[in-house]
Structure formats: C-alpha cells, structure tokens
Amino acid sequence: MSKMDNLRAMREAKYAESQKRAAAAPARPKAAVAPPAAARKAAPATEPAAAEELCGHRNMSGRTCTREQGHAAKSHRYS
C-alpha cells in the first residue's frame, strides 16, 4: 500500500467511526428561534422606550449598529 492508500483508509475508518458514534448519540435539543417579525413589531408598539427600532446590523466582532432601522447612511455606528 502506498502512503496515500494508508491515509485514505485511515480517513474512511475515522469517518465510519464518527457515523457510528453519531447514530448512537441522543439527538440534540433544537435551539430557540426568534419570534416572527410581525410579533417583534407588535411588542415594541406597547413599549414607549422602544418607539424607534435600531438597525441591528452586527459586525464580525459581534457589536450591533445603533442607528435607526433602515438608515440612509452607508456606514453603521457600532457600540
């Protein structure tokens, strides 16, 4: 067997083992999902402080944009 054949055999064995382990493991619980947009819009209508919705755009480091929803500025303002 060549080196590549050995590598392929090891990779296939590792894959088969992970498939067997995944089949035996219990299923993960589903992650919580945000409510639909209609429900989110109805909630701020009752809160006076949240009259203006924020853009909510997130950058790569996880900071969110603090400008108003649908702002005309090309850049986002993160905090």
Side-chain angles (χ1 to χ4, degrees):
M1 277 182 128
S2 70
K3 179 179 177 180
M4 296 306 290
D5 290 336
N6 287 335
L7 289 172
R8 184 176 295 116
M10 287 174 48
R11 187 171 47 242
E12 288 174 358
K14 186 186 281 188
Y15 178 78
E17 181 183 336
S18 69
Q19 291 295 319
K20 185 171 49 172
R21 212 176 318 134
R28 286 188 188 178
K30 296 266 183 184
V33 178
R40 280 184 281 173
K41 287 183 180 177
T46 60
E47 301 172 13
E52 284 188 28
E53 288 195 32
L54 298 178
C55 171
H57 180 266
R58 289 188 172 256
N59 68 1
M60 291 175 65
S61 65
R63 300 174 117 195
T64 56
C65 177
T66 57
R67 292 188 190 263
E68 70 280 352
Q69 183 83 28
H71 58 83
K74 287 186 177 183
S75 62
H76 293 280
R77 188 179 293 150
Y78 299 109
S79 68

